[in-house]
Coordinates of all heavy atoms in Angstrom, one line a residue:
Chain S
S15 N 91.3 -1.7 54.8 CA 91.5 -0.8 53.7 C 90.6 -1.2 52.6 O 90.1 -0.2 51.8 CB 93.0 -0.8 53.3 OG 93.4 -2.0 52.8
L16 N 90.3 -2.3 52.4 CA 89.4 -2.8 51.4 C 87.9 -2.3 51.7 O 87.3 -1.9 50.7 CB 89.3 -4.4 51.4 CG 88.7 -5.1 50.1 CD1 89.6 -4.7 49.0 CD2 88.5 -6.6 50.3
A17 N 87.6 -2.3 53.0 CA 86.4 -1.9 53.3 C 86.2 -0.3 53.1 O 85.2 0.3 52.6 CB 86.0 -2.1 54.8
E18 N 87.4 0.3 53.3 CA 87.5 1.8 53.2 C 87.2 2.1 51.7 O 86.6 3.0 51.3 CB 88.8 2.4 53.7 CG 88.9 2.6 55.2 CD 90.2 2.9 55.7 OE1 91.1 3.1 54.9 OE2 90.3 2.8 57.0
F19 N 88.0 1.3 51.0 CA 87.9 1.4 49.5 C 86.5 1.3 48.9 O 86.0 2.2 48.1 CB 88.8 0.5 48.8 CG 88.9 0.6 47.3 CD1 89.6 1.7 46.7 CD2 88.3 -0.3 46.4 CE1 89.5 1.8 45.4 CE2 88.3 -0.2 45.2 CZ 88.9 0.9 44.5
D20 N 85.8 0.3 49.5 CA 84.5 0.1 49.0 C 83.5 1.3 49.4 O 82.7 1.7 48.6 CB 83.8 -1.1 49.8 CG 83.2 -2.0 49.0 OD1 83.3 -1.9 47.7 OD2 82.3 -2.9 49.4
T21 N 83.8 1.8 50.7 CA 83.0 3.1 51.0 C 83.3 4.2 50.1 O 82.4 4.9 49.6 CB 83.5 3.4 52.4 OG1 83.4 2.3 53.3 CG2 82.4 4.5 53.0
L22 N 84.6 4.3 49.9 CA 85.0 5.4 48.9 C 84.3 5.4 47.6 O 83.8 6.3 47.0 CB 86.5 5.5 48.9 CG 87.1 6.6 48.0 CD1 86.9 7.9 48.8 CD2 88.6 6.4 47.9
R23 N 84.4 4.1 47.1 CA 83.7 3.8 45.8 C 82.3 4.2 45.7 O 81.7 4.9 44.9 CB 83.9 2.4 45.4 CG 83.7 2.2 43.9 CD 84.1 0.8 43.4 NE 83.5 -0.2 44.2 CZ 83.7 -1.6 43.9 NH1 84.7 -1.8 43.0 NH2 83.2 -2.4 44.6
R24 N 81.6 3.8 46.8 CA 80.1 4.1 46.9 C 79.9 5.7 47.0 O 79.0 6.1 46.4 CB 79.5 3.6 48.3 CG 78.9 2.1 47.9 CD 77.8 1.8 49.0 NE 78.4 1.9 50.3 CZ 79.0 1.0 51.0 NH1 79.3 -0.2 50.2 NH2 79.4 1.1 52.2
L25 N 80.8 6.3 47.7 CA 80.7 7.7 47.8 C 80.8 8.4 46.5 O 80.2 9.3 46.1 CB 81.7 8.3 48.7 CG 81.3 8.1 50.2 CD1 82.6 8.5 51.2 CD2 80.1 8.9 50.6
L26 N 81.8 7.8 45.7 CA 82.2 8.4 44.4 C 81.2 8.1 43.3 O 80.7 9.0 42.6 CB 83.6 8.1 44.0 CG 84.6 8.8 44.8 CD1 86.1 8.2 44.5 CD2 84.7 10.2 44.7
V27 N 80.9 6.8 43.1 CA 80.0 6.5 41.8 C 78.7 6.0 42.2 O 78.0 5.4 41.4 CB 80.9 5.5 41.0 CG1 82.1 6.1 40.4 CG2 81.2 4.2 41.7
G28 N 78.4 5.9 43.5 CA 77.1 5.4 44.0 C 75.8 5.9 43.2 O 75.1 5.1 42.7
P29 N 75.7 7.2 43.2 CA 74.5 7.8 42.5 C 74.3 7.2 41.1 O 73.3 7.0 40.6 CB 74.7 9.3 42.6 CG 75.7 9.5 43.7 CD 76.6 8.3 43.8
E30 N 75.5 7.3 40.3 CA 75.5 6.9 38.9 C 75.0 5.5 38.8 O 74.2 5.1 37.9 CB 76.9 7.1 38.3 CG 77.2 8.5 37.9 CD 77.7 9.3 39.1 OE1 77.8 8.7 40.2 OE2 78.0 10.5 38.9
Q31 N 75.5 4.6 39.7 CA 75.3 3.2 39.6 C 73.7 3.0 39.8 O 73.1 2.2 39.1 CB 76.1 2.4 40.6 CG 76.1 1.0 40.3 CD 77.2 0.2 41.2 OE1 77.9 0.9 42.1 NE2 77.5 -1.0 41.0

Side-chain angles (χ1 to χ4, degrees):
Chain S
S15 62
L16 197 66
E18 280 167 13
F19 180 73
D20 225 18
T21 313
L22 184 63
R23 194 168 57 182
R24 263 205 306 280
L25 284 170
L26 287 174
V27 297
E30 281 83 0
Q31 198 165 4

